[in-house]
């Protein structure tokens, strides 16, 4: 089922409060139907996390960590990241620190977080 012509899930942070945003643009389904589909997807995602092997979990964790450690391909990307740090936290090693923290996460911790907050 296609929810819309533009669908994305992303992290947001405002005033040191983090959240998950699932944005859907389209006119095919009503807002109530879109909400129902998102809730179903979250349940399926939770089931997948619960049945995921430790090896698959480690691969996924490594992929997320790698995305934080990748080198910038354009100067504008690096500049944007530095200005974001200047505006928000003035902590220039936050991204590399996050990447290091991913290696300490366990599958039960992630599952418990998901059950508690999503």
């Amino acid at each position: 089922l296609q929810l819309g012509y533009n669908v994305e899930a992303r992290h947001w942070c405002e005033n040191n409060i983090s959240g998950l945003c699932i944005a859907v643009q389209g006119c095919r389904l009503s807002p109530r139907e879109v909400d129902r589909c998102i809730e179903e997807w979250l349940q399926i995602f939770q089931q997948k996390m619960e049945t995921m092997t430790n090896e698959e979990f480690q691969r996924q964790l490594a992929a997320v960590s790698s995305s934080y450690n990748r080198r910038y391909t354009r100067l504008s990307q690096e500049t944007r990241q530095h200005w974001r740090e200047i505006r928000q936290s003035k902590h220039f090693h936050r991204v590399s620190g996050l990447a290091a923290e991913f290696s300490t996460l366990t599958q039960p911790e992630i599952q418990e977080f998901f059950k508690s907050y999503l």
Side-chain angles (χ1 to χ4, degrees):
L1 175 66
Q2 183 176 345
L3 292 180
Y5 52 83
N6 187 16
V7 179
E8 66 178 305
R10 66 181 180 272
H11 163 265
W12 61 264
C13 184
E14 188 170 321
N15 296 324
N16 293 323
I17 298 172
S18 294
L20 172 67
C21 174
I22 300 173
V24 178
Q25 289 179 303
C27 58
R28 188 165 164 228
L29 300 174
S30 70
R32 182 170 287 140
E33 291 172 306
V34 170
D35 187 56
R36 181 186 54 76
C37 289
I38 290 170
E39 292 297 328
E40 286 177 12
W41 175 75
L42 288 170
Q43 289 176 354
I44 291 167
F45 187 75
Q46 181 178 3
Q47 291 169 353
K48 182 172 180 161
M49 282 195 312
E50 290 172 354
T51 60
M52 186 182 292
T53 65
N54 186 51
E55 293 78 25
E56 175 64 17
F57 176 77
Q58 293 302 321
R59 279 196 301 275
Q60 295 294 331
L61 203 58
V64 172
S65 181
S66 171
S67 72
Y68 279 88
N69 285 323
R70 70 175 171 242
R71 294 178 57 95
Y72 300 109
T73 56
R74 294 187 307 256
L75 181 60
S76 63
Q77 293 171 318
E78 185 174 4
T79 303
R80 192 175 3 220
Q81 177 63 35
H82 290 311
W83 276 113
R84 187 178 304 122
E85 294 299 331
I86 290 168
R87 282 192 305 271
Q88 293 178 356
S89 66
K90 297 176 181 66
H91 181 62
F92 289 95
H93 302 290
R94 182 182 59 86
V95 173
S96 59
L98 282 173
E101 286 296 316
F102 282 116
S103 65
T104 67
L105 295 174
T106 66
Q107 192 169 359
E109 287 173 331
I110 298 293
Q111 291 169 345
E112 185 58 37
F113 180 87
F114 191 89
K115 287 177 188 175
S116 297
Y117 297 105
L118 294 180

